[in-house]
Amino acid sequence: MKTRLTFLQTIPFALALAGWMPLSAPAQNAGESKPPAQTNRDDQVFNFPGGTPRDFLAAVEKHYKADWLSIASIPREMDDVRVPKLRIPPGPMFLIGSPSAPNELLSIVMLYNRLAEREPQLGTLVVEAPHNQPEKPYAVMLVPNKSAVVAQARMRTKAFPLRGIPKNDWGRLTGEINETGLRGRSQEASMTGRKESFPGIASVHDSSAILVVMGSETFVEMAESMVAAFQANERAKEAKPSPGGK
């Protein structure tokens, strides 16, 4: 009788053990921690290959999912400004001499305006947005810097009489002036990134025998020297004695 009671007492314990064992393994697996997903930080770097301000805003909009370009105000005179190449890692940046911006988009605004301090043609990038929400701004503007506006205001127009230059050479003179101006502009753009500092155009008014030149001071001075050179060559031809002459 004593043995029977011991056996019966073990049955509830065995049933409880059998019910607990299959549940313990899943509970243990559920508690296992999974390694965090690996992310490629290179994919998060903002790489801008260089281009116009409109290209820059479009790249910012695409990378950061920011609605900037649709409301951006870009002056026409800034359409050809060259924004340099940029590489910006993810996360707010700390610029030397400036406080750290609270997010990436505000860091970009700070960086752009720091570059504009050295390259005034970049203008000033203004982004008015709710506090710490620059991806949905109220307004986005590029404001020309005063120094760049002053340089543009120095455009000159000057007329040169074509006396002493044969009419057949007027087209050649005009072509050489414009071609020289384009070469100078291209060379300066490749060296400094500025395209607007050497603009100009020359044209002939046949009825009045006048060459009209419009452009920067450098371009007008170059045109003036070429007109003088053509006239000097013609005077030299007239002064040269004819063959067989005394």
Side-chain angles (χ1 to χ4, degrees):
M1 185 69 178
K2 185 177 179 180
T3 304
R4 181 180 179 88
L5 289 174
T6 304
F7 175 74
L8 290 176
Q9 290 174 350
T10 61
I11 293 177
F13 176 78
L15 291 176
L17 182 62
W20 173 81
M21 290 182 62
L23 295 177
S24 61
Q28 184 177 1
N29 291 336
E32 291 181 356
S33 60
K34 296 182 179 180
Q38 297 294 324
T39 57
N40 188 355
R41 290 181 63 87
D42 290 340
D43 295 338
Q44 302 175 22
V45 174
F46 174 60
N47 284 298
F48 179 63
T52 66
R54 193 171 299 276
D55 296 334
F56 173 72
L57 294 180
V60 169
E61 183 167 298
K62 181 179 179 181
H63 185 82
Y64 294 101
K65 306 297 187 294
D67 186 13
W68 280 18
L69 191 59
S70 62
I71 62 169
S73 176
I74 304 175
R76 183 175 299 177
E77 62 267 24
M78 298 187 67
D79 284 341
D80 292 332
V81 171
R82 181 75 179 179
V83 180
K85 296 179 181 180
L86 297 174
R87 179 184 296 112
I88 302 176
M93 292 181 295
F94 180 82
L95 302 178
I96 297 176
S98 299
S100 179
N103 59 49
E104 295 178 54
L105 283 172
L106 292 181
S107 293
I108 288 179
V109 175
M110 292 174 58
L111 175 61
Y112 187 97
N113 290 332
R114 286 290 296 272
L115 294 175
E117 293 176 4
R118 298 189 176 186
E119 298 291 341
Q121 75 276 4
L122 292 175
T124 300
L125 178 59
V126 178
V127 179
E128 293 290 341
H131 182 63
N132 289 345
Q133 294 181 352
E135 66 276 0
K136 290 288 185 180
Y138 303 128
V140 176
M141 297 178 292
L142 274 171
V143 182
N145 286 329
K146 292 182 179 180
S147 57
V149 173
V150 170
Q152 188 174 10
R154 292 175 181 169
M155 298 285 286
R156 295 177 54 195
T157 301
K158 190 171 183 177
F160 302 96
L162 294 174
R163 61 176 179 270
I165 302 176
K167 190 171 183 178
N168 293 338
D169 289 339
W170 292 356
R172 183 165 64 91
L173 171 62
T174 305
E176 291 189 8
I177 291 174
N178 289 328
E179 183 180 354
T180 302
L182 288 175
R183 286 202 304 268
R185 184 179 184 183
S186 176
Q187 183 177 4
E188 186 166 352
S190 64
M191 295 174 62
T192 66
R194 293 192 294 266
K195 293 184 178 181
E196 72 281 9
S197 59
F198 202 101
I201 187 170
S203 60
V204 171
H205 292 216
D206 289 343
S207 59
S208 55
I210 289 177
L211 176 72
V212 177
V213 178
M214 180 174 62
S216 66
E217 293 184 10
T218 305
F219 184 85
V220 172
E221 291 173 0
M222 179 271 296
E224 185 174 11
S225 65
M226 291 193 70
V227 170
F230 267 67
Q231 291 171 335
N233 286 340
E234 292 302 321
R235 288 195 298 269
K237 290 179 183 178
E238 295 174 0
K240 185 178 181 179
S242 59
K246 296 183 179 179

